[in-house]
Amino acid sequence: MEKYKLYNLRFLFFLLLILICSPIVNAQSSVIHYDAALNYMQKNNVDSAKIEIDLHMQNVDVQLDPENWYLEGFIYKELYKKYENENFNSPYRDKSLNSFKKSFKLDTVIARTKTTKELIRYLAGRFYNDAVLTLDSLNYLTSILCYEQYRDAALILDSILDIKKKDIEFYLALGTIYVEIYNSDKIKNLQFFNLTRDTYMKILNWDPNNYAANYDLGLLYWNKGVHLMNNIDYELNLDSVMQVQNYSVSIFKESLPFAQKAYEMEPKREETLIVLSGIFYSLNDFPKSKAFDAILKDLQKEK
Amino acid sequence: MKRKLFYCILCIFPVLLGFQTSFEADANVRLKSVFIYNFTRYIDWPSDYKTGSFVIAYFGKSSKVIAELNKMALSKTVGTQKIEIRIVTKLSEIGKANILYVSPDVETPLVDIIKTTKGKSILVVTENIGFAKKGATINFVIVDNRQKFELNQANAEKNHLKVSSSLLALAIPVTN
């Protein structure tokens, strides 16, 4: 009960703010729609408020006034909560954030920008959580869209925010989803190999010392080379077999610098030692492969 | 309250999501097996070796190569001959075979192996430096990180094996 009282108070506060900061609207008809939208919101009739604000926003003149965008953002946020709360691709939420962003850019009223920021923060949180929830092999495109929305919003909230840290976190996770799709059918989903590689390379452009991206790239290339070798058709003529081997060796060589970098950064990670030993083995460099095996065994004994 | 808690829990992308841990199996095993199968297509055995099963004798300790050869034997034939993989641990177990694959871990001297196969049309395949000069017909070697093979045509001829020119072109030639 207390919770609802508090909610209603907050709701009234937002509406009061809209009334206080209400602009002088040029077009009389537009004023009517704006007022009507406000009235409907006061009566908790968000559907009618939507119709009125949509009509109001059709007037080009009103689009320079942050208050109009604020009201539109607010109405669409309520629509999102009412109808699309569980919809990861909610158009209402997209429109709401877009309106708040426009309002925030145009606004000079400190009290309102503070409130707008709070509302953007709320939406940013929802976008971020949905990006996490949809990050799987079926919904990853939605996840990317949600993350991009979160990213935009987060930068509005804090222009000096180090967004790269979050970007790396997201793209590392996205990379593993791409790998998962690629691994499920390496021939059919070959394009996901490129997507994975590009994703990790993007991370390394931001942060060349990112352990996970180095390790994952090393493993990605190594696994691809091994997969090619393991799937050589018995009926392939020897000349072609040699060509497959040449190509695989070139891939193993591509994997090496990434795995070595990962090892330099974290020499006591077992998975890196396994990958390095495997790459050297695949390159038929057995002494080096055994050397990394020995380091791995020593490490396991220590544990 | 429940909703707030929900958001808190999901605030971070799971760290484990950033790591792959699926490792592919050993690639060299398949390659050796493919090579061996290809040898059967580029080498001609005398007619008395073209009846019954086509026997590939594996001399050495158990290895992944045996598993791959067995897999190959299930789906492939040499002409009309079924492929039989025979694992041998002693020279006396070799018997009549088309190919003798000598694993690099075998301690028996090569000279003894060659004595045992003398006069038989057995393609002796080894995997040790210098073995093609010492009696083996084909010897796997590593060159520039690649699995290649040496071929001693004189040794093949001694065992009445005809090697095709295509195979000779791809091999590293070795003479006695």
Side-chain angles (χ1 to χ4, degrees):
Chain A
M1 198 60 191
E2 279 297 309
K3 188 182 150 192
Y4 287 110
K5 272 185 187 167
L6 196 68
Y7 176 81
N8 285 333
L9 279 174
R10 280 174 67 187
F11 188 73
L12 284 172
F13 170 74
F14 286 134
L15 289 178
L16 200 61
L17 198 73
I18 291 166
L19 285 168
I20 292 166
C21 303
S22 191
I24 301 161
V25 182
N26 293 330
Q28 191 59 40
S29 62
S30 197
V31 172
I32 292 166
H33 290 306
Y34 181 90
D35 290 345
L38 260 182
N39 280 332
Y40 280 126
M41 284 307 286
Q42 280 169 326
K43 289 171 191 162
N44 214 10
N45 184 348
V46 71
D47 300 284
S48 300
K50 176 192 178 295
I51 295 165
E52 295 300 332
I53 198 69
D54 285 349
L55 288 168
H56 178 64
M57 295 307 281
Q58 280 173 12
N59 185 344
V60 181
D61 295 341
V62 305
Q63 291 178 9
L64 289 173
D65 190 328
E67 180 55 34
N68 296 318
W69 290 113
Y70 180 89
L71 181 60
E72 185 183 59
F74 192 80
I75 291 168
Y76 273 85
K77 176 187 73 81
E78 291 304 313
L79 284 165
Y80 161 61
K81 284 165 73 178
K82 187 176 177 185
Y83 294 114
E84 296 178 342
N85 204 27
E86 305 298 324
N87 180 357
F88 298 127
N89 295 299
S90 164
Y92 286 150
R93 179 172 58 174
D94 289 346
K95 182 150 182 161
S96 174
L97 180 63
N98 192 42
S99 303
F100 283 136
K101 275 156 61 179
K102 282 182 178 160
S103 172
F104 188 77
K105 270 187 191 169
L106 295 167
D107 217 346
T108 51
V109 180
I110 294 168
R112 190 172 52 215
T113 53
K114 212 176 157 187
T115 315
T116 309
K117 262 186 149 184
E118 278 309 304
L119 293 164
I120 291 175
R121 194 183 308 282
Y122 163 77
L123 291 175
R126 296 300 304 261
F127 274 116
Y128 187 80
N129 286 318
D130 286 356
V132 176
L133 283 172
T134 53
L135 193 57
D136 57 46
S137 57
L138 293 176
N139 303 297
Y140 65 92
L141 287 174
T142 301
S143 179
I144 295 169
L145 291 175
C146 285
Y147 181 75
E148 287 301 324
Q149 291 281 43
Y150 156 77
R151 195 180 189 278
D152 275 2
L155 284 170
I156 287 169
L157 295 171
D158 181 359
S159 56
I160 56 160
L161 175 73
D162 181 13
I163 197 72
K164 285 281 169 283
K165 201 179 157 194
K166 284 275 176 205
D167 284 345
I168 288 171
E169 198 178 80
F170 175 72
Y171 283 103
L172 270 179
L174 181 64
T176 60
I177 298 301
Y178 285 154
V179 170
E180 191 185 309
I181 299 169
Y182 168 61
N183 284 342
S184 68
D185 188 337
K186 286 179 176 155
I187 295 162
K188 196 176 130 203
N189 299 331
L190 186 61
Q191 77 272 25
F192 283 90
F193 173 85
N194 297 336
L195 279 172
T196 312
R197 181 199 56 208
D198 296 347
T199 302
Y200 291 139
M201 289 305 287
K202 192 193 287 188
I203 295 166
L204 290 180
N205 278 335
W206 292 327
D207 176 15
N209 292 321
N210 185 284
Y211 169 80
N214 276 296
Y215 164 80
D216 283 335
L217 259 178
L219 180 59
L220 179 76
Y221 277 117
W222 177 48
N223 274 345
K224 185 180 182 185
V226 175
H227 175 75
L228 284 172
M229 297 270 270
N230 277 340
N231 286 280
I232 299 176
D233 195 306
Y234 276 99
E235 297 301 333
L236 213 58
N237 65 55
L238 264 184
D239 205 20
S240 303
V241 171
M242 298 288 202
Q243 281 176 32
V244 174
Q245 184 180 207
N246 285 340
Y247 182 53
S248 295
V249 167
S250 72
I251 292 174
F252 294 139
K253 284 185 176 172
E254 279 197 74
S255 76
L256 202 51
F258 299 110
Q260 280 173 325
K261 174 92 179 180
Y263 174 66
E264 281 163 24
M265 293 172 69
E266 295 200 30
K268 296 206 167 185
R269 295 286 285 254
E270 285 189 20
E271 69 272 7
T272 318
L273 293 165
I274 294 168
V275 170
L276 268 173
S277 168
I279 294 169
F280 280 116
Y281 191 88
S282 302
L283 283 168
N284 294 295
D285 190 340
F286 304 118
K288 281 187 187 162
S289 175
K290 279 180 186 166
F292 281 106
D293 268 345
I295 298 170
L296 178 65
K297 275 177 192 158
D298 288 344
L299 193 69
Q300 285 166 340
K301 270 182 204 164
E302 274 176 35
K303 283 182 182 174
Chain B
M1 186 64 196
K2 197 178 170 188
R3 190 89 201 171
K4 275 184 184 171
L5 187 67
F6 179 67
Y7 289 132
C8 289
I9 291 166
L10 293 174
C11 256
I12 305 166
F13 286 96
V15 176
L16 274 176
L17 266 180
F19 276 102
Q20 309 167 49
T21 48
S22 129
F23 307 114
E24 289 276 357
D26 181 2
N28 295 344
V29 166
R30 172 75 168 209
L31 190 62
K32 277 178 196 156
S33 189
V34 170
F35 273 139
I36 289 168
Y37 178 68
N38 262 284
F39 298 153
T40 71
R41 298 157 73 189
Y42 291 94
I43 292 172
D44 192 34
W45 274 260
S47 55
D48 54 330
Y49 279 77
K50 288 180 182 171
T51 53
S53 295
F54 185 95
V55 177
I56 300 174
Y58 181 95
F59 186 21
K61 289 174 190 164
S62 178
S63 82
K64 288 177 189 168
V65 178
I66 299 172
E68 185 60 39
L69 287 172
N70 275 321
K71 223 161 79 181
M72 179 255 282
L74 282 175
S75 59
K76 300 290 163 195
T77 56
V78 178
T80 55
Q81 292 176 281
K82 279 186 179 174
I83 299 173
E84 177 193 330
I85 308 299
R86 184 184 298 159
I87 300 159
V88 298
T89 51
K90 286 183 281 185
L91 289 176
S92 57
E93 292 169 352
I94 295 171
K96 189 183 175 189
N98 297 75
I99 296 177
L100 174 66
Y101 179 94
V102 184
S103 168
D105 56 52
V106 166
E107 287 170 6
T108 310
L110 181 67
V111 67
D112 294 342
I113 297 169
I114 299 302
K115 265 185 204 166
T116 309
T117 58
K118 198 176 175 184
K120 297 173 184 172
S121 293
I122 299 178
L123 174 74
V124 180
V125 180
T126 56
E127 213 178 320
N128 268 310
I129 296 166
F131 272 24
K133 261 191 177 304
K134 292 176 185 169
T137 301
I138 286 178
N139 185 43
F140 283 126
V141 286
I142 305 299
V143 180
D144 294 333
N145 302 111
R146 288 153 178 84
Q147 184 82 68
K148 298 208 168 176
F149 59 93
E150 298 171 331
L151 199 152
N152 189 321
Q153 199 178 356
N155 290 342
E157 282 165 4
K158 271 185 210 168
N159 290 347
H160 315 290
L161 301 169
K162 282 183 197 161
V163 180
S164 81
S165 55
S166 316
L167 189 62
L168 283 168
L170 290 166
I172 300 165
V174 170
T175 50
N176 290 326

